[in-house]
Amino acid sequence: MTAPARPVPAHVITDDAEALAVAAELAEEFRAGAAGRDAGRRLPHAELERLSASGLLGVTVPRGHGGAQVRTTTLAEVFRLLASADASLSQIPQSHFVYLNVLRRQGDAAQQKFFFGEVLAGRRFGNAQSEAGTRHVQDIRTRLRPAADGSYLLSGVKHYATGALFADWIPVLARGGDDALHVAYVPRDAPGVQVVDDWDGMGQRTTAGGTVRLTEVAVPADRVLPHHLTFQGPQLHGAVAQLLHAAIDVGIASGALAEAVAFVRSKSRPWFESGFETAAEDPLLIQRFGELAVRVRAAEALLAEAARTVDTAEAALTDDSAAEASIAVAAAKVLAAEAAVETGSALFEVAGTRAALDGLNLHRHWRDARTHTLHDPVRWKVQHIGRYVLNGVRPPRHGLL
């Protein structure tokens, strides 16, 4: 296997405490330019290089391969911190960690040694999984055909490929000849790979979640993993993937609340009937901020509880512990989505007319929340929670729970 070039070697983070400290530092660094990047749709190339160099992208690499193997609670908090600063930037590496998990579960010794080394060197995974125009999200039509020399040829078109434009490796979901699901890890610059920057969503503007076209891409056999085996037996693949989405939503909510606080304290005028000198003294605003704080704190608490449940399940994985983890994550995701959308909208309610000025770009919080929470419908998560609580029905193993 050959590796893409990376100009600056990545730092290797050694433990959970260091991972959290680095994430907090980067969040403050990224926060300063988030509104401007979103307003001008300036893609965060420099910021992603900074993220790679920091070592955060390698924190889930197993200790036996030189990584920190941080707890899921730590990983969720890393994403929450980054999303509180820049929701687009935090979304980009979500698939990176998902496909690292595929390697942890399905990669053989040689594949793990190579790709974990790639990640510790600062190289990034993107994704090419979703397709447009199919019957539903799990109708994957991209094909992986065996070649005469034992390698494969990969063809298809992917959409919403967040991170692919910035990636060194693009994990591609494809069906094999037996229709079983596989992941092919393809270099971003491989012949036959075209990444198109055509994302025009109202939110998460700088994720570059555009189109990937794959035309007879040659893939060596040692870059293909049997992803269909992930869902045979108890697994945490979907729980971890969804937990990171929930962490992004909670981060959006906490970031919007913090910006609302700063705006009301420094810029908002009191309503003339309140009789107070500052908006921050208005008891009606105080009431609303209290309500929003409760929502955000509740979302943070459910996120942390869900992450702990995943860690507990990973230590003793059974059908029951995996189900508990999936349900805990589903509950966290439901409340996180509600809190993100509500707080992003309520920012204008508490901050006043001036907050709606386009130049301030405060609406990015709501746009990001509304866009990201469309990723998969929480109404189905509520259904699975209800079935589990009332009838003891374990959630399905399809990767979205």
Side-chain angles (χ1 to χ4, degrees), residues 95 99 125-130 159-164 167 169-172 212:
S95 291
Y99 286 103
F125 293 158
N127 94 84
Q129 50 189 15
S130 295
H159 297 269
Y160 313 117
T162 301
W169 295 91
I170 303 177
V172 181
V212 174

Side-chain angles (χ1 to χ4, degrees), residues 30 190 235 242 244 248 287 293 306 327 335 339 345 366 384 391:
F30 296 156
Q235 51 82 35
Q242 288 296 303
L244 299 186
I248 292 168
Q287 175 72 20
I327 293 300
L335 189 57
S345 176
W366 183 87
H384 291 304
N391 297 316

Side-chain angles (χ1 to χ4, degrees), residues 307-323:
R308 287 192 296 269
T309 306
V310 172
D311 279 330
T312 299
E314 188 169 21
L317 189 60
T318 65
D319 285 331
D320 287 337
S321 67

Side-chain angles (χ1 to χ4, degrees), residues 7 9 22 25 38 55 58 62 73 86 92 124 141 146 169 179 185 208 214 231 236 291 299 328 336 351 354 384:
V22 171
E25 179 184 347
D38 177 89
T73 51
D86 186 332
I92 292 167
R124 297 187 290 267
R141 300 182 184 181
W169 295 91
D179 212 39
Y185 290 73
L214 306 143
F231 307 103
L236 297 171
E291 293 167 349
R354 186 180 175 188
H384 291 304

Side-chain angles (χ1 to χ4, degrees), residues 163-323:
L165 189 69
F166 312 106
D168 299 292
W169 295 91
I170 303 177
V172 181
L173 278 186
R175 300 283 181 187
D178 56 357
D179 212 39
L181 198 60
H182 294 75
V183 178
Y185 290 73
V186 178
R188 159 74 177 78
D189 58 357
V193 175
Q194 182 187 17
V195 181
V196 184
D197 179 20
D198 57 0
W199 170 245
D200 65 349
M202 69 174 182
Q204 295 197 297
R205 288 176 173 174
T206 62
T207 57
T211 301
V212 174
R213 296 191 176 95
L214 306 143
T215 307
E216 297 290 279
V217 180
V219 185
D222 60 1
R223 295 185 194 167
V224 177
L225 276 71
H227 192 32
H228 58 98
L229 298 181
T230 299
F231 307 103
Q232 295 181 9
Q235 51 82 35
L236 297 171
H237 175 83
V240 173
Q242 288 296 303
L243 183 74
L244 299 186
H245 283 305
I248 292 168
D249 289 339
V250 175
I252 293 171
S254 60
L257 181 59
E259 191 141 16
V261 167
F263 194 93
V264 170
R265 284 176 177 173
S266 62
K267 297 182 176 65
S268 295
R269 296 184 298 178
W271 184 243
F272 72 96
E273 292 178 286
S274 73
F276 289 98
E277 291 297 316
T278 67
E281 296 172 282
D282 184 336
L284 298 181
L285 284 182
I286 289 171
Q287 175 72 20
R288 188 64 177 123
F289 270 102
E291 293 167 349
L292 294 172
V294 168
R295 293 283 278 172
V296 173
R297 282 175 176 246
E300 291 171 346
L302 271 187
L303 177 70
E305 181 194 17
R308 287 192 296 269
T309 306
V310 172
D311 279 330
T312 299
E314 188 169 21
L317 189 60
T318 65
D319 285 331
D320 287 337
S321 67

Side-chain angles (χ1 to χ4, degrees), residues 49-63:
E49 289 301 323
R50 180 83 173 89
L51 186 64
S52 289
S54 76
L56 273 184
L57 297 182
V59 294
T60 61
V61 170
R63 292 186 192 92

